[in-house]
Amino acid sequence: MVHQISPLAPARLPELPAISGVKLASAEAGIRYRGRHDVMLAVLDPKTAIAGVFTRSLTRSAPVEWCAAHIGGSARAIIVNAGNANAFTGRAGKASVSAVAKFLASALSCKTSEVFIASTGVIGEPLDPNLVTKVVPELIAGAAEDKWEAAARAIMTTDTFPKMVTARARYGGAMVTINGIAKGSGMIAPNLATMLAFFFTDARIPPVLLQTLLEDGARRTFNCTTVDGDTSTSDTLLFAATGTAGEAPRGLKRITDASFKDFAEAFSRAAHELAHLVVRDGEGAEKFITITVTGAASAREARQIGMSIANSPLVKTAIAGEDANWGRIVMAVGKSGARADRDRLKIWIGGVRVASRGMRDPAYREQDIVPHMKGRNIEIKVDAGVGRESARVWTSDLTHRYIDINGSYRS
Amino acid sequence: MVHQISPLAPARLPELPAISGVKLASAEAGIRYRGRHDVMLAVLDPKTAIAGVFTRSLTRSAPVEWCAAHIGGSARAIIVNAGNANAFTGRAGKASVSAVAKFLASALSCKTSEVFIASTGVIGEPLDPNLVTKVVPELIAGAAEDKWEAAARAIMTTDTFPKMVTARARYGGAMVTINGIAKGSGMIAPNLATMLAFFFTDARIPPVLLQTLLEDGARRTFNCTTVDGDTSTSDTLLFAATGTAGEAPRGLKRITDASFKDFAEAFSRAAHELAHLVVRDGEGAEKFITITVTGAASAREARQIGMSIANSPLVKTAIAGEDANWGRIVMAVGKSGARADRDRLKIWIGGVRVASRGMRDPAYREQDIVPHMKGRNIEIKVDAGVGRESARVWTSDLTHRYIDINGSYRS
């Protein structure tokens, strides 16, 4: 199946600057695809700090288990393949990960625990480690600081465009860079929606802080996005900090410290942007939907209400049909399990209040929001009427193309 | 939009026998539809016991709140309209329900608390009670024991066929009848999936037992079905027992008593059948899917795993595409939140074991299950590998027609 570029893709790809201490390469290993690169390697300077956040699935893949076991130390390499997720592959899967880590550690003269691995693609199929290791010499030889786009392309599955972001921040007396690449919800034939995202910076960040920053950022960005509510076996988010830009600010202890503010804000912007790019390439997506929930009893419940709306097939098909069907939003709030006061609930679409006090807003006329519904970016706001907490989540609509992409038989 | 009859519809409609103490009628009130009956009335003999189970939505409709407040006593009438759910209609909705109950109670010389009301259709629109009350005299005059099919048709929205079941049981020394009718997941333009189901029997059942039986039955049947995971504001399940067939067995105390066994079994069969008919008319359904979960740590977790599979868009689109994509079943087990042992998980499709011990079953060949995937009835079995509890759930596939039905703009 040929996938047209998502109508929600950005007009142009950003140019990612070099990050000192990060060299990238990609190659064709022929794991599943032909005629394209399907393995990416990032070679990292010694003493690079690494943080990671992984899928909460109970059936997580062998590479996820490997990475989760080694987070907290340092990293010398991140290697990623597309086409085979190495998930639900039993002992063979574990052995495959070990073999790749061993080979790469030997080639780079580092510890196996400094090699991080991610795989995306079909699940339940053994992944022959030799397919990966045989391109490692070529990858190491070709690794360079300017291969960001090639790297972002090599990790794609049914993604229709490569996902890249960059941000600058003042940190420890110097300007530092944050680059991020991701692959989104795609399936080959057939696969799981699988999200992989990798951030890199030249800033020197104490590992504990890097991990806290990443967890906090993931909670507010990637964990607030959904395409179809299906959680992958393979979701992986890594953040590598080479420290080549200089020293960390003196006395830095918490991610809320003033000396960390600019970096934390730059990362937050980059993480939001990358997470949104993943949603914008959601399978079959025609609309990018932002759902803001206010007036909830807790932040967790605000997110719960937002995700209930974002995962409702009835809400998502209505938006695909450009129908301002706010009754379905009421339904999704009601089924979320979070506290909400039906008779104080307020709903806005495109800034227009459509419902208040447990019923249609008397001033609301449907024609006022028709132009908004026809646009690419849909804004929904809900006030639950029970508290002061809020959350924001992002999703895409549910279209015929989603069914085409996921219902087609494997060739 | 014209809806073709579901390919999963039964070949013929059953003929429902009369139930002494139940008279039915239907009429055209013109609430939303034209040229068809859209109101149904069941007139019940005095002292009819009534039990009810309702949506757990926090944004439930005015009729649901009315019924829930009056369950536990007796019933003289059940009145149901299609086309307007009277949900999220504020005080006007409550007043509308009261007005209908008052009018009907006066006409039947009963208490308003003996009138039960259900509404299905568009939400957020006020329901003018006069539209309903103006046909009440005609309904009462025309009520008869043989109007089951007309009643089942009058409550349809986008249902493609009327849903009717009947069962017989030996109870208290006599043969008694159980009839049931339901409407399924449908939307007009646009609406919520809304499930209404009504059971009637001539058996004399103590109200507390009737309620327990209904709650227990709902848990194992209707609450184990899903079309799209979207919970309606209006789901209503009522069971009316006229008691005209004679006395309850002496000493009957619990639904597990031997004297209740035949009735309980007959109700269980009828409830399963009616719940399955609702799934078989799920929006756009082409396949009827039965998911059996064994080896779970608790019955609740077994159901949780089953529902996670049944609600996964990726599993449902794969089945629509006749693709034996068991990797997506692994994913759905992993994301369910219930305990499962990845390395002891077993999966069967159509009776063929496709996965065991955390990987693809070595003996599995995909061609063995291709004919099963092409059939109308798909059987999935999962053993979670952690305990002895089990559950069974039912769903339909996710097809282009679901998007057509739910994504079309209101005219």
Side-chain angles (χ1 to χ4, degrees):
Chain A
M1 191 183 299
V2 174
H3 296 290
Q4 288 195 309
I5 290 175
S6 166
L8 305 175
R12 84 193 81 208
L13 298 175
E15 275 197 40
L16 268 49
I19 288 188
S20 170
V22 181
K23 286 182 178 144
L24 300 149
S26 60
E28 178 176 352
I31 291 165
R32 191 171 185 94
Y33 303 102
R34 295 288 177 270
R36 56 158 276 193
H37 287 189
D38 55 357
V39 177
M40 169 215 112
L41 173 69
V43 180
L44 306 165
D45 267 15
K47 295 189 182 161
T48 293
I50 185 100
V53 175
F54 306 96
T55 179
R56 288 181 190 161
S57 168
L58 287 175
T59 54
R60 55 195 198 164
S61 67
V64 165
E65 296 211 319
W66 174 272
C67 289
H70 297 122
I71 280 296
S74 58
R76 285 299 313 283
I78 300 173
I79 188 160
V80 186
N81 75 276
N84 185 319
N86 193 11
F88 213 67
T89 43
R91 279 187 204 176
K94 209 170 162 178
S96 174
V97 167
S98 288
V100 170
K102 215 165 174 177
F103 190 96
L104 203 48
S106 163
L108 294 172
S109 305
C110 69
K111 296 185 227 160
T112 54
S113 63
E114 292 178 305
V115 175
F116 290 80
I117 301 177
S119 298
T120 169
V122 71
I123 84 159
E125 298 285 340
L127 172 58
D128 178 0
N130 297 323
L131 289 173
V132 179
T133 55
K134 77 170 196 287
V135 297
V136 163
E138 172 194 343
L139 288 165
I140 292 176
E145 289 191 332
D146 61 354
K147 300 279 183 62
W148 290 98
E149 185 180 333
R153 288 192 184 277
I155 62 174
M156 288 166 61
T157 56
T158 46
D159 300 65
T160 73
F161 61 87
K163 292 155 194 74
M164 306 150 68
V165 296
T166 185
R168 299 273 286 163
R170 180 167 301 280
Y171 175 78
M175 286 305 289
V176 298
T177 302
I178 301 170
N179 282 353
I181 61 173
K183 76 162 295 285
S185 327
M187 59 157 274
I188 313 157
N191 258 325
L192 298 179
T194 301
M195 213 283 300
L196 303 180
F198 306 97
F199 285 97
F200 301 87
T201 182
D202 48 352
R204 183 180 302 278
I205 318 260
V208 174
L209 252 64
L210 193 66
Q211 183 66 30
T212 309
L213 181 73
L214 189 64
E215 287 176 8
D216 179 64
R219 193 161 47 237
R220 289 179 297 108
T221 58
F222 292 98
N223 283 346
C224 288
T225 63
T226 179
V227 169
D228 52 16
D230 275 345
T231 304
S232 161
T233 52
S234 310
D235 293 334
T236 298
L237 175 59
L238 294 174
F239 196 167
T242 64
T244 49
E247 294 306 310
R250 270 214 255 167
L252 175 61
K253 283 220 177 100
R254 275 179 288 271
I255 61 168
T256 49
D257 288 354
S259 61
F260 203 60
K261 188 164 183 273
D262 202 50
F263 188 88
E265 285 178 358
F267 172 67
S268 178
R269 282 196 306 277
H272 274 92
E273 195 180 334
L274 199 55
H276 293 182
L277 286 174
V278 171
V279 173
R280 286 179 177 278
D281 206 8
E283 289 175 329
E286 297 276 337
K287 311 266 188 193
F288 179 79
I289 305 163
T290 303
I291 300 164
T292 308
V293 179
T294 59
S298 70
R300 194 185 57 76
E301 286 178 82
R303 183 175 168 278
Q304 197 175 334
I305 292 169
M307 290 303 256
S308 180
I309 298 167
N311 279 321
S312 160
L314 286 172
V315 170
K316 292 159 84 84
T317 48
I319 291 171
E322 304 189 336
D323 179 3
N325 194 331
W326 60 270
R328 294 184 182 173
I329 299 172
V330 173
M331 174 280 297
V333 173
K335 76 160 183 167
S336 74
R339 282 167 285 180
D341 184 337
R342 185 192 63 186
D343 298 330
R344 300 181 74 178
L345 195 64
K346 296 193 191 88
I347 299 171
W348 293 258
I349 298 176
V352 175
R353 194 166 74 185
V354 299
S356 62
R357 299 189 185 185
M359 56 189 291
R360 188 176 60 195
D361 194 289
Y364 164 58
R365 297 175 315 156
E366 192 166 326
Q367 61 259 43
D368 295 343
I369 57 172
V370 166
H372 181 77
M373 295 309 297
K374 292 192 182 299
R376 288 284 178 206
N377 295 294
I378 304 297
E379 302 272 347
I380 292 171
K381 191 180 154 195
V382 169
D383 190 289
V386 291
R388 293 172 169 279
E389 297 300 324
S390 64
R392 187 165 282 164
V393 309
W394 299 272
T395 191
S396 51
D397 54 345
L398 176 54
T399 67
H400 282 293
R401 276 211 302 138
Y402 181 87
I403 309 247
D404 284 333
I405 295 168
N406 289 305
S408 63
Y409 195 78
R410 285 170 286 183
S411 57
Chain B
M1 191 182 305
V2 175
H3 296 290
Q4 288 194 310
I5 290 175
S6 166
L8 305 175
R12 83 192 79 207
L13 298 174
E15 275 198 37
L16 268 50
I19 288 188
S20 169
V22 180
K23 288 184 177 140
L24 300 149
S26 59
E28 178 175 352
I31 292 165
R32 190 172 186 92
Y33 304 102
R34 295 287 177 271
R36 57 158 275 194
H37 288 187
D38 55 356
V39 177
M40 171 215 111
L41 173 68
V43 181
L44 306 165
D45 267 15
K47 296 190 184 161
T48 293
I50 184 102
V53 174
F54 306 97
T55 179
R56 288 181 189 161
S57 168
L58 286 174
T59 55
R60 56 195 198 164
S61 67
V64 165
E65 296 212 318
W66 174 271
C67 289
H70 297 121
I71 281 296
S74 57
R76 285 300 312 283
I78 299 173
I79 188 161
V80 186
N81 75 276
N84 185 320
N86 192 12
F88 213 68
T89 43
R91 279 188 203 175
K94 208 169 164 179
S96 175
V97 167
S98 287
V100 171
K102 214 165 175 176
F103 191 96
L104 203 48
S106 163
L108 294 173
S109 304
C110 69
K111 295 186 228 161
T112 55
S113 62
E114 292 178 304
V115 175
F116 290 80
I117 302 176
S119 298
T120 169
V122 72
I123 83 160
E125 297 286 338
L127 172 58
D128 178 359
N130 297 323
L131 289 173
V132 179
T133 55
K134 80 169 194 287
V135 296
V136 163
E138 171 194 343
L139 287 165
I140 291 176
E145 289 190 333
D146 61 353
K147 300 279 182 63
W148 291 99
E149 185 179 334
R153 288 192 184 278
I155 62 174
M156 287 165 63
T157 55
T158 47
D159 300 65
T160 72
F161 61 87
K163 292 156 194 75
M164 305 187 275
V165 295
T166 185
R168 297 272 285 164
R170 179 167 302 279
Y171 175 78
M175 285 306 289
V176 299
T177 302
I178 301 170
N179 283 352
I181 60 173
K183 75 162 296 284
S185 328
M187 57 157 274
I188 312 157
N191 258 328
L192 298 182
T194 302
M195 212 282 302
L196 302 180
F198 306 98
F199 285 96
F200 301 87
T201 182
D202 49 352
R204 184 180 302 278
I205 317 261
V208 174
L209 253 64
L210 193 67
Q211 183 67 29
T212 308
L213 181 73
L214 190 64
E215 287 176 9
D216 180 64
R219 192 161 47 237
R220 288 178 298 109
T221 59
F222 292 98
N223 283 346
C224 289
T225 63
T226 179
V227 169
D228 52 16
D230 275 347
T231 304
S232 161
T233 53
S234 309
D235 294 332
T236 298
L237 175 59
L238 295 174
F239 196 167
T242 64
T244 49
E247 293 306 311
R250 269 213 255 168
L252 175 62
K253 284 220 174 100
R254 275 179 288 270
I255 61 168
T256 48
D257 288 353
S259 62
F260 203 60
K261 188 162 182 274
D262 202 51
F263 187 88
E265 285 177 359
F267 172 66
S268 178
R269 282 196 306 278
H272 274 93
E273 194 180 333
L274 199 55
H276 293 183
L277 287 174
V278 171
V279 173
R280 286 178 177 278
D281 206 9
E283 289 175 329
E286 297 276 337
K287 310 267 187 193
F288 179 79
I289 306 163
T290 303
I291 299 164
T292 308
V293 179
T294 58
S298 71
R300 194 185 58 75
E301 287 178 80
R303 183 175 169 277
Q304 198 174 334
I305 291 169
M307 290 303 256
S308 180
I309 298 167
N311 279 322
S312 160
L314 286 171
V315 171
K316 293 160 85 84
T317 48
I319 292 172
E322 304 188 337
D323 179 3
N325 195 331
W326 60 270
R328 294 183 182 172
I329 299 171
V330 173
M331 175 279 299
V333 173
K335 76 160 184 168
S336 74
R339 282 166 286 179
D341 184 337
R342 185 193 62 186
D343 298 329
R344 300 181 74 178
L345 195 64
K346 296 192 191 88
I347 300 171
W348 293 258
I349 298 175
V352 175
R353 195 166 73 183
V354 299
S356 62
R357 300 190 185 184
M359 56 189 292
R360 189 176 59 194
D361 194 289
Y364 164 58
R365 296 175 315 155
E366 192 166 329
Q367 62 259 43
D368 296 343
I369 56 173
V370 166
H372 180 78
M373 296 309 298
K374 293 193 180 299
R376 288 285 179 205
N377 295 294
I378 304 297
E379 302 272 348
I380 292 171
K381 190 180 156 196
V382 169
D383 190 290
V386 292
R388 292 172 169 279
E389 297 300 325
S390 64
R392 187 165 282 164
V393 310
W394 299 272
T395 191
S396 50
D397 54 344
L398 176 54
T399 68
H400 282 293
R401 276 210 303 137
Y402 181 88
I403 309 240
D404 284 334
I405 295 167
N406 289 305
S408 62
Y409 195 78
R410 285 169 288 184
S411 56

